[in-house]
Amino acid sequence: MEAGTAGLRLQLCSLIPGERSGIVGGLPDHSTSTLQLPQRWPAAEDTSNVERLSLTHSRRTRLVSRNGRSDTRLSSLYKKSGVNSETIHALADEAVLLKKKAEDLTPRLNERCIYLIGMMGSGKSTVGKILSEALGYSFFDSDKLVEQAVGGTSVAQIFKQYSESFFRDNESEVLHSLSSMHRLVVATGGGAVIRPLNWNYMKKGITVWLDVPLEALARRIAAVGTDSRPLLHHESGDPYDKALVRLRNLSRERGEVYANADVRVCLEYLATKQGLGDVSAITPTAIATEALVGMETFLKKTALLEMPRDNPP
């Protein structure tokens, strides 16, 4: 990045007064804006007997008690959501398991940031919000921060109006700024991994790769449309077919790079472990829990490698 370029200055919660942020690439002054970072999600100590945990299977927030039993408010969801009681109780159990795992792991994280990486449509933002709430961390989407920095311009429009290189420069600035902070869960853009510089920033924390089969990704993207995907929306043809072709090409380019992550959450493996025939049946809560399990394993291995070894006699 060129010397003298003003870096993004991020405001965390309300601790730092708002400032004008410098943008990479020489945008005119009227495009410069303040990044207003959201308040931290509620920490465990902020909650009482009943905790709010995101169970997005039915796209509703369910109230789950600490002991895993549904309270009186949970029963009212049976009629409202159209989901049977067995499913709701299973989701409640998932949420309690997630919270317990998060409570066990949080002290061992030592306030490290968590960076979620993976292909477009892999659920980084959805899973990231659930993780941040369970851990009592703040959540950030790096794409959203870049959009806010460039005057609220969408990622697709940034690619079209300024270029992918311009976007990547700003993306690196965002990751650089976030890497100096603590207790964050960051959902990164699918292409953030292609710059070695970004790995330098993310490796200050723990990187988690959400590895989703390409066919499942293509179905998700086709269902919501490709207009918001700058690497897809210019291509014509059936949304599923063009998404799958592009994803295959990107996978060949990035597959080995994603594998540099500290933790890999393989949805095919998780579906098999849960006895599910389709990865789309896995709830975001279950994926978040699997990410915590992977982080626990990674921290154990790291601790073993860092243990002093006795000198041989």
Side-chain angles (χ1 to χ4, degrees), residues 26-310:
L27 276 178
D29 292 341
H30 68 267
S31 299
T32 307
S33 61
T34 302
L35 290 180
Q36 299 293 335
L37 302 193
Q39 295 293 319
R40 182 174 61 80
W41 288 74
E45 60 268 21
D46 298 331
T47 60
S48 57
N49 182 50
V50 178
E51 300 168 335
R52 285 193 172 275
L53 294 177
S54 296
L55 300 176
T56 55
H57 179 76
S58 61
R59 297 191 179 184
R60 297 173 184 267
T61 299
R62 313 217 184 280
L63 294 172
V64 180
S65 64
R66 282 187 182 276
N67 63 8
R69 299 175 184 173
S70 57
D71 65 5
T72 55
R73 281 169 285 182
L74 189 61
S75 61
S76 67
L77 292 170
Y78 299 160
K79 295 180 181 180
K80 293 180 181 179
S81 66
V83 179
N84 62 43
S85 62
E86 183 179 350
T87 299
I88 289 182
H89 280 293
L91 292 171
D93 289 341
E94 273 190 357
V96 172
L97 177 61
L98 170 72
K99 192 62 180 177
K100 179 61 169 62
K101 180 62 68 176
E103 288 173 348
D104 292 342
L105 186 62
T106 299
R108 300 172 61 184
L109 287 172
N110 197 27
E111 299 192 339
R112 291 180 179 90
C113 293
I114 298 165
Y115 296 89
L116 300 180
I117 66 173
M119 298 283 278
M120 66 179 82
S122 59
K124 299 183 291 292
S125 293
T126 300
V127 174
K129 290 174 183 177
I130 294 174
L131 278 174
S132 66
E133 186 172 355
L135 292 167
Y137 275 29
S138 299
F139 170 75
F140 297 104
D141 182 316
S142 65
D143 281 356
K144 297 298 182 184
L145 291 178
V146 173
E147 288 179 342
Q148 187 176 343
V150 189
T153 308
S154 69
V155 172
Q157 188 63 27
I158 293 171
F159 270 62
K160 180 179 179 180
Q161 187 172 351
Y162 299 105
S163 77
E164 179 177 356
S165 177
F166 175 87
F167 172 82
R168 298 298 175 199
D169 288 342
N170 280 276
E171 179 179 58
S172 293
E173 276 293 298
V174 164
L175 292 174
H176 181 205
S177 297
L178 293 175
S179 69
S180 65
M181 301 178 187
H182 303 284
R183 297 174 61 83
L184 307 180
V185 176
V186 181
T188 66
V193 297
I194 63 178
R195 285 193 173 185
L197 179 64
N198 293 342
W199 282 99
N200 292 339
Y201 303 142
M202 295 189 293
K203 282 295 186 176
K204 294 180 180 179
I206 299 176
T207 51
V208 179
W209 173 24
L210 301 186
D211 184 10
V212 184
L214 300 184
E215 293 78 8
L217 291 177
R219 287 196 298 271
R220 292 180 187 178
I221 293 169
V224 299
T226 59
D227 289 345
S228 63
R229 306 290 180 179
L231 298 180
L232 291 175
H233 77 287
H234 290 302
E235 302 176 19
S236 60
D238 177 74
Y240 172 82
D241 289 338
K242 70 177 183 180
L244 184 58
V245 170
R246 184 57 172 156
L247 287 167
R248 283 173 176 165
N249 291 334
L250 291 173
S251 180
R252 283 192 288 268
E253 297 171 7
R254 302 174 182 172
E256 293 183 0
V257 185
Y258 284 132
N260 290 326
D262 300 315
V263 177
R264 178 191 178 195
V265 178
C266 177
L267 265 64
E268 283 186 316
Y269 167 77
L270 185 55
T272 300
K273 186 168 73 171
Q274 293 190 349
L276 302 173
D278 189 346
V279 297
S280 64
I282 306 173
T283 65
T285 303
I287 298 171
T289 302
E290 189 72 8
L292 292 176
V293 171
M295 283 185 268
E296 182 179 41
T297 301
F298 167 73
L299 291 173
K300 286 179 179 178
K301 290 181 179 179
T302 302
L304 287 174
L305 291 173
E306 292 176 350
M307 287 180 60
R309 299 179 182 275
D310 296 332

